[in-house]
């Protein structure tokens, strides 16, 4: 039976004691309990998410005394994003980051409550809120993942409402007519503002901007700009206040999760509980690097005014939320109840991260 995070917190000291005994050769696993797990991620270890995931893997190895180790496959060298769920099920990979946006809007409709815009841009709070929500055995999000045979362990969220463009965008009116790469619910925001959302693979964004095929990209986090070399082709970075853009999660198959010892699961859950704070610690370094690259290229950063954010929300927010609720109902999920639960959980979690600031605002302020 799966071990919940609530239970993990209550007996973590027992788990760690057992782990230490195992690492010293006394009872609780030894060679018989040792596991080497194949891990897969679709982008670089040097990316913000890659650094957070690398920390998670290192911590699990250290806290299990080497009883659990990982073979690490970065940059989609093992599986593509859309192959991860099936890869977990058929054993091609043991643990992987799942990107729900790779599977269509209705494959992870409950999880994609985090994509509903204009709720929160505070990404560590969103990570913590989702972690809290899936603790409940009857959680719609947990049921969605477990129904696919996978167990979500840790959420990777970033503030995703960044608009990276070749020309300045000062307000909603400037969005009209722009060709912008975007996927998921953020694309619906653009369409409501009379921009043209265009679906492209992540690897095609740079070249498409460079050749003038698109005017920019919406939804790739500010922290990724420098590592993706976007400032070379897109000079202007604007925070629109739309909120986070995706809800990715580190996950195992349910069978793989339950094949671990209870002590190993406890350690993984303990490390996962620390992930939102670790992400909040890691992200500023990458934001600073992106800010420096933008400034060195002669670019600008800005934030929509409260009035512009409100105008965009009026244009797009209600219809998109209603659309998500309708999709959820079709999938047998009580959408209204789930989005109310999500808002409440995010509100509580935001109190844990009161110092969050949009990276574009921090960069613009110097």
């Amino acid at each position: 039976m799966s071990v919940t995070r609530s239970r993990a917190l209550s007996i973590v000291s027992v788990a760690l004691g057992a782990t230490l005994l195992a690492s010293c050769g006394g009872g609780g696993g030894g060679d018989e309990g040792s596991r080497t797990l194949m891990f897969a991620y679709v982008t670089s270890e040097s990316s913000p998410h890659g650094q957070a995931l690398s920390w998670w893997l290192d911590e699990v190895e250290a806290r299990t005394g080497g009883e659990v180790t990982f073979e690490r496959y970065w940059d989609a060298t093992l599986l593509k994003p859309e192959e991860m769920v099936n890869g977990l099920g058929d054993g091609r990979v043991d643990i992987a980051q799942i990107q729900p946006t790779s599977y269509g809007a209705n494959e992870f409709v409950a999880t994609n409550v985090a994509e509903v815009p204009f709720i929160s841009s505070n990404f560590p709070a969103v990570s913590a809120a989702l972690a809290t929500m899936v603790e409940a055995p009857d959680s719609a999000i947990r049921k969605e993942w477990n129904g696919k045979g996978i167990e979500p362990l840790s959420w990777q969220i970033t503030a995703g409402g960044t608009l990276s463009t070749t020309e300045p965008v000062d307000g909603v009116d400037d969005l009209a007519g722009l060709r912008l790469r975007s996927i998921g619910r953020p694309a619906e925001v653009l369409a409501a503002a009379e921009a043209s959302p265009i679906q492209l693979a992540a690897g095609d964004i740079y070249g498409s901007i460079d050749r003038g095929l698109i005017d920019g990209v919406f939804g790739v986090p500010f922290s990724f700009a420098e590592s993706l070399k976007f400032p070379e082709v897109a000079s202007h970075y604007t925070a629109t206040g739309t909120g986070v853009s995706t809800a990715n999660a580190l996950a195992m198959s349910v069978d793989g999760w339950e094949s671990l010892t209870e002590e190993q699961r406890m350690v993984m859950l303990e490390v996962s509980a620390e992930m939102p704070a670790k992400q909040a610690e890691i992200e500023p370094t990458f934001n600073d690097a992106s800010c420096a690259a933008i400034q060195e290229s002669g670019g600008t950063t800005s934030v929509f005014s409260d009035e512009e954010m409100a105008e965009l929300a009026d244009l797009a927010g209600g219809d998109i939320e209603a659309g998500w609720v309708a999709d959820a109902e079709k999938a047998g999920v009580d959408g209204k109840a789930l989005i109310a639960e999500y808002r409440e959980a995010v509100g509580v979690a935001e109190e844990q991260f009161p110092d969050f600031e949009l990276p574009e605002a921090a960069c613009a302020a110097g």
Side-chain angles (χ1 to χ4, degrees):
M1 183 175 295
S2 294
V3 180
T4 67
R5 287 163 176 77
S6 296
R7 188 180 174 199
L9 293 175
S10 66
I11 61 173
V12 69
S13 60
V14 175
L16 291 176
T19 301
L20 289 172
L21 285 172
S23 68
C24 294
D31 291 340
E32 187 175 325
S34 297
R35 297 289 300 275
T36 298
L37 304 176
M38 290 189 299
F39 160 81
Y41 180 51
V42 299
T43 58
S44 168
E45 181 181 8
S46 63
S47 71
H49 283 183
Q51 287 291 286
L53 290 167
S54 184
W55 171 84
W56 191 96
L57 300 171
D58 290 344
E59 287 297 304
V60 170
E61 288 183 344
R63 298 186 201 188
T64 61
E67 193 173 278
V68 176
T69 57
F70 301 95
E71 290 182 13
R72 308 180 190 200
Y73 297 88
W74 304 95
D75 296 302
T77 53
L78 186 63
L79 295 174
K80 297 177 181 178
E82 64 274 15
E83 297 175 318
M84 295 296 187
V85 169
N86 287 338
L88 287 173
D90 61 27
R92 282 177 289 165
V93 65
D94 298 304
I95 184 166
Q97 192 206 53
I98 304 298
Q99 298 179 329
T101 51
S102 301
Y103 295 91
N106 295 324
E107 286 296 310
F108 285 88
V109 66
T111 305
N112 287 341
V113 67
E115 286 188 12
V116 176
F118 310 109
I119 294 178
S120 179
S121 296
N122 189 328
F123 72 88
V126 171
S127 296
L130 291 172
T132 298
M133 290 172 71
V134 299
E135 287 181 4
D138 61 347
S139 159
I141 298 175
R142 170 169 289 284
K143 286 181 178 179
E144 182 169 75
W145 287 68
N146 288 171
K148 300 178 189 302
I150 48 181
E151 177 76 13
L153 303 179
S154 172
W155 298 92
Q156 287 81 56
I157 314 291
T158 46
T162 300
L163 186 63
S164 312
T165 53
T166 56
E167 298 294 333
V169 176
D170 298 320
V172 176
D173 290 345
D174 293 335
L175 291 170
L178 292 183
R179 301 160 299 168
L180 299 168
R181 187 268 189 182
S182 184
I183 58 176
R185 306 285 171 184
E188 298 179 39
V189 174
L190 295 178
E194 300 183 1
S196 298
I198 296 172
Q199 293 199 14
L200 288 173
D204 295 330
I205 296 172
Y206 180 102
S208 296
I209 299 175
D210 191 36
R211 295 193 299 274
L213 301 177
I214 59 175
D215 300 306
V217 55
F218 182 51
V220 174
F222 186 86
S223 57
F224 282 72
E226 189 274 337
S227 62
L228 295 174
K229 309 301 181 187
F230 283 175
E232 296 177 357
V233 293
S235 299
H236 305 282
Y237 294 77
T238 309
T240 58
T242 54
V244 303
S245 56
T246 59
N248 306 324
L250 185 65
M252 293 184 69
S253 70
V254 170
D255 289 342
W257 173 247
E258 294 183 347
S259 73
L260 299 173
T261 68
E262 185 167 355
E263 290 79 13
Q264 291 164 353
R265 295 198 297 267
M266 289 299 131
V267 170
M268 288 187 179
L269 292 177
E270 180 195 25
V271 177
S272 295
E274 298 171 18
M275 182 67 102
K278 177 55 66 171
Q279 287 181 283
E281 175 186 323
I282 289 172
E283 200 82 3
T285 300
F286 289 89
N287 289 334
D288 290 346
S290 291
C291 182
I294 293 165
Q295 292 174 344
E296 288 168 8
S297 70
T300 64
T301 57
S302 61
V303 179
F304 271 11
S305 67
D306 291 344
E307 292 76 16
E308 293 292 339
M309 288 185 187
E311 181 179 348
L312 190 58
D314 287 342
L315 280 174
D319 289 342
I320 294 175
E321 181 171 328
W324 176 83
V325 169
D327 289 343
E329 300 288 347
K330 290 176 185 176
V333 175
D334 186 340
K336 290 182 179 179
L338 182 57
I339 201 166
E341 179 188 358
Y342 173 68
R343 277 196 169 94
E344 181 179 0
V346 169
V348 171
E350 284 179 337
E351 296 177 4
Q352 302 173 37
F353 302 96
D355 298 327
F356 175 80
E357 182 180 23
L358 286 169
E360 297 87 347
C363 184

